[in-house]
Amino acid sequence: MKKTFFIFAVLIFASVSSFAGEKIKCVKETYTYPDYNGGVYTNEFYFIENFVIHPLNFAGRKYILFYKDEDTGHYSWFGQYYPTYLGDGRFSDAAYGGDPPEKLSEKTEEILYDKNDFYRILANEFYRWYLKKEAFSSDFDCLEDFIGGAMKVFSKGDLRILRNTIYAKYGYTFKSKDLNEIFSKTEWYTPKEYFSENGINRLDDCFLEIIKL
């Protein structure tokens, strides 16, 4: 009886684990600041590999994804519409009307972050800024920004997500379980019954070639 119960428990654990998603190590930094109304507010930053995720509730944005600039060690935002993150809870001067607020407290901890959630954020940012070209006036500017800065920080696993983000844009139906989970929870992905690479536009085709190289 005990042996049967043990096997049953192992099967349940394995089943739950398979749905839980793979976790990756992450350093979470939390900072507390005074606000203008006499209260306080917090800023959180999640450091994952060469990226920082900054949760944000502003103008419909749920987060900002920063990538590390190897030359300065600071973190830039895709599209360059947001101040550079300098670390230690500080942004570049463009973030403040005057002096930056004084920190009331800070906390650093190592946590586990859902890998597919991280990849979903990465896919959304790549889709928004590069595939929809929201920050660029021309295809050339878009490609130049990607090749000149952002591309250097991506790992092989990251590039797999970017490549498939392009296919997801055109409604490709994924056979891979992790890709299905990543893209099915985005707001823009709609799988189509028929998919043809002939429908991929010139800019996105250039991105595919760059990523493959």
Side-chain angles (χ1 to χ4, degrees), residues 75-89:
Y75 292 85
S76 301
W77 182 36
F78 296 109
Q80 304 298 322
Y81 282 177
Y82 205 80
T84 301
Y85 181 57
L86 306 178
D88 195 34

Side-chain angles (χ1 to χ4, degrees), residues 85-120:
Y85 181 57
L86 306 178
D88 195 34
R90 299 175 299 113
F91 292 99
S92 56
D93 293 341
Y96 312 108
D99 294 330
E102 182 179 350
K103 288 181 291 188
L104 298 177
S105 67
E106 58 184 273
K107 179 181 179 182
T108 301
E109 56 189 322
E110 188 173 278
I111 65 171
L112 295 177
Y113 201 94
D114 188 279
K115 191 172 187 177
N116 284 351
D117 284 346
F118 166 62
Y119 278 148
R120 190 174 301 112

Side-chain angles (χ1 to χ4, degrees), residues 17-83:
S17 297
S18 67
F19 285 99
E22 184 179 349
K23 304 292 183 181
I24 50 179
K25 287 184 179 180
C26 167
V27 174
K28 178 184 177 183
E29 294 183 356
T30 306
Y31 300 90
T32 305
Y33 306 91
D35 64 21
Y36 295 108
N37 300 316
V40 298
Y41 70 94
T42 59
N43 269 338
E44 295 177 349
F45 303 91
Y46 297 81
F47 290 77
I48 301 174
E49 298 173 352
N50 292 318
F51 301 94
V52 176
I53 298 172
H54 175 38
L56 187 73
N57 185 16
F58 178 74
R61 297 300 306 277
K62 297 179 180 179
Y63 50 78
I64 293 176
L65 183 67
F66 295 92
Y67 65 91
K68 189 172 185 178
D69 186 318
E70 295 179 349
D71 296 327
T72 65
H74 299 155
Y75 292 85
S76 301
W77 182 36
F78 296 109
Q80 304 298 322
Y81 282 177
Y82 205 80

Side-chain angles (χ1 to χ4, degrees), residues 117-136:
D117 284 346
F118 166 62
Y119 278 148
R120 190 174 301 112
I121 292 172
L122 183 62
N124 276 331
E125 293 292 87
F126 180 64
Y127 173 81
R128 177 174 187 175
W129 299 115
Y130 293 107
L131 302 188
K132 289 186 67 180
K133 228 169 44 175
E134 288 198 10
F136 306 99

